[in-house]
Amino acid sequence: MRRFAIPVISFGLLVAVAISTAQTPNITLCQGIAAQIRQNAASSPGDPIEPLFKGDHPYIVTPAKADITVLQDSAQFEALFQEKFHPSAAMSDALDGFSADDASVLSLPSSNLHLIQNIGGSAHCFDFHFFWMPTGGESQPLPDLPRKGVRDGENMICEGFGDHPFLARIGGVDAFVETMWSPEDSNSDFRVVPFKQGKWTPACEVEADFGTEYSVSKVFVPASGPISDVAIKAVAAEIVAQHAAAKDPKSFMFGPPVPQSEEENVSAMLALAATTQRDRSRKSGTDAIPFPAFGHENELDAFQSTLGLIDNYPVVLYGNTYLAAIGRGVIGWRESPDSSGLILYTLTGRKLQPVGSAIVEQTRGALKSVRATPWRLRGVDPAVRPN
C-alpha cells in the first residue's frame, strides 16, 4: 500500500494547485485604478476619485446615456426592448415577469455587452440582467455577477447604502464596477468584475483610505443658557472627530474627568437618556430625535433636522458638566453622507434639557493609502481557512 501513497498525495497537491490557480483573479484593472487615484491625489488638491469618471478621456469609461429608460410601465419596456435588442427565446424567458419600476438599458460604445438595471424600494436597490448582442443578431442572456458575499443581504447593491453600480470599460476591458461608500468614514472601495471571453472573471478590489476633516457649520443655543454658541463652536468638531476615531465608543472620553460632585447627576442623565432611547426605539423602531435649533429650525437642511444612531457621554466643558448626544443626521433609515450632530443637555428636575447644539460637517481629507487586492468574499472570516 505504501507504493501508492506518494502518487495519491502528489495528485491531490496538483489538484489543489490547479484549483488555486484557476481561482486566482487578475487584479491588473484594480492596480490601474489604484495607480490613477495616487496620480490624481498627487497632481490635484481636489477629490482624486471623481476624475476617474470625468473628462474627455476618463480612466473609467461609463455609458454616456441610457438606450432605454422606462418608469412604471413594463409593457412599454418590453416593446422598446424587442424593437432595439431583438431578444432570443432564452432572453425572453430571462425577462419573463420583469417589472419596470425604474428600468434602463445601458451599453458601452463599441461593445456587445449590455445591462438592464431596475431600481426599486426605498433604499434604491438594483436588479440586474446582463446580456450579449452580436452585431445583427439576437440578444442572449448572460450569467449573473459573481457573488459578493455568502449571505443574500451582502449581495445587494443599493444607492441608499452608499453603493453605485456602473457598466464600465477600464484599459480597454469591459467590466462591472461598483463603488462603495460608508457614512462612518471618508473611504472609497471599488469592486471590479472583468468581463472577458464572454464570461465574468473573478473580482478584485480597490480600497482607498482617506483622512476625514470635521468643521462646525451651524451652532444653536437658547436665548439664555449655561453655554454660549462661541464656546460650543470651539469644541464641537473636535468632540465629533474624537468620537468617530474611538475604536470602542463605550470608552470614549473628552476633556477632564467628571467631578465627584457631579457623578450622581451624570448617572441620572445617562439613565434618562437610555430609557428615552429605549422608549423611542420600541414605539418607532428608531432612536432618532428632532434636532433642537431653539427656534431656528428653518435653518436646518434635509439631513439636519433629525439626529439618529446616538451615543451619549458626559463631558465637562468650561467647568460645567453636560450630557453630550452624538449622532448622524438621518432621514428615516438613511444616514447623512456628510453631517453629524452634537446636542448638550443638563438635568432639570427629572428631565433632560437641551442647552446647545451643533452641526458638524464631515469632508474627505488627504489620501492616506490605496491598495488593490483580490476580492474577499464578504461574510467569510479571513482567519478561517476553507476545508
Side-chain angles (χ1 to χ4, degrees):
M1 291 295 296
R2 291 183 63 187
R3 288 189 304 159
F4 297 98
I6 293 176
V8 169
I9 293 172
S10 299
F11 178 75
L13 288 173
L14 287 172
V15 170
V17 171
I19 292 174
S20 176
T21 302
Q23 293 179 343
T24 300
N26 186 337
I27 65 171
T28 302
L29 296 187
C30 286
Q31 289 172 330
I33 292 173
Q36 191 65 38
I37 291 173
R38 292 189 197 97
Q39 181 177 323
N40 292 346
S43 61
S44 171
D47 183 356
I49 301 295
E50 191 174 340
L52 292 170
F53 299 90
K54 293 192 171 183
D56 295 334
H57 303 285
Y59 191 81
I60 300 177
V61 178
T62 57
K65 62 178 182 178
D67 298 294
I68 298 174
T69 299
V70 172
L71 296 174
Q72 304 291 334
D73 195 333
S74 299
Q76 181 190 18
F77 180 87
E78 182 180 351
L80 292 172
F81 189 84
Q82 288 207 17
E83 178 183 352
K84 188 171 181 65
F85 292 104
H86 313 297
S88 64
M91 189 73 212
S92 296
D93 289 344
L95 293 178
D96 185 33
F98 179 75
S99 178
D101 294 331
D102 182 356
S104 56
V105 179
L106 302 168
S107 306
L108 290 168
S110 304
S111 174
N112 294 327
L113 176 64
H114 307 270
L115 163 65
I116 304 170
Q117 68 178 26
N118 192 30
I119 308 174
S122 59
H124 292 179
C125 295
F126 292 85
D127 179 33
F128 300 115
H129 293 274
F130 296 91
F131 66 95
W132 180 265
M133 183 176 175
T135 303
E138 296 180 326
S139 56
Q140 303 286 345
L142 288 170
D144 293 336
L145 293 166
R147 290 174 66 83
K148 288 198 298 180
V150 297
R151 292 180 286 268
D152 288 342
E154 291 161 337
N155 292 283
M156 297 175 67
I157 298 177
C158 305
E159 284 186 334
F161 300 138
D163 307 327
H164 296 278
F166 302 93
L167 192 63
R169 180 173 295 131
I170 310 167
V173 177
D174 290 350
F176 175 84
V177 174
E178 176 190 357
T179 61
M180 294 166 283
W181 168 88
S182 169
E184 280 77 26
D185 54 43
S186 299
N187 300 337
S188 285
D189 290 351
F190 293 72
R191 179 172 70 121
V192 179
V193 189
F195 186 80
K196 296 180 178 180
Q197 298 179 347
K199 64 181 181 180
W200 300 110
T201 61
C204 61
E205 180 175 12
V206 178
E207 298 173 277
D209 295 344
F210 293 85
T212 303
E213 297 178 356
Y214 297 87
S215 60
V216 178
S217 62
K218 299 172 185 176
V219 177
F220 304 96
V221 293
S224 59
I227 189 167
S228 69
D229 55 350
V230 174
I232 294 176
K233 187 173 184 178
V235 295
E238 189 177 355
I239 291 174
V240 172
Q242 289 191 19
H243 172 258
K247 293 183 179 179
D248 179 8
K250 294 181 181 179
S251 66
F252 169 74
M253 291 183 60
F254 182 88
V258 174
Q260 188 173 359
S261 60
E262 291 287 345
E263 289 179 355
E264 186 175 342
N265 276 347
V266 165
S267 296
M269 288 193 289
L270 287 170
L272 278 171
T275 300
T276 304
Q277 202 162 319
R278 237 182 354 256
D279 291 343
R280 284 196 304 266
S281 296
R282 186 173 62 249
K283 292 177 181 177
S284 63
T286 174
D287 67 350
I289 58 173
F291 183 81
F294 309 102
H296 297 273
E297 281 73 17
N298 63 322
E299 298 178 22
L300 297 172
D301 298 333
F303 270 105
Q304 297 175 351
S305 59
T306 308
L307 199 66
L309 305 171
I310 298 168
D311 290 325
N312 299 292
Y313 306 95
V315 295
V316 179
L317 302 174
Y318 312 106
N320 293 325
T321 303
Y322 305 93
L323 182 72
I326 306 170
R328 302 288 302 185
V330 296
I331 298 177
W333 53 263
R334 289 174 291 171
E335 297 179 47
S336 169
D338 52 21
S339 181
S340 295
L342 169 71
I343 306 172
L344 298 179
Y345 295 94
T346 57
L347 189 64
T348 302
R350 295 185 177 181
K351 292 184 178 180
L352 291 174
Q353 181 70 37
V355 294
S357 60
I359 298 294
V360 178
E361 302 293 343
Q362 174 182 312
T363 56
R364 178 175 286 167
L367 178 68
K368 296 195 294 186
S369 67
V370 59
R371 55 199 168 275
T373 58
W375 177 261
R376 180 176 58 83
L377 197 64
R378 299 307 190 247
V380 175
D381 186 344
V384 178
R385 295 184 178 182
N387 293 328

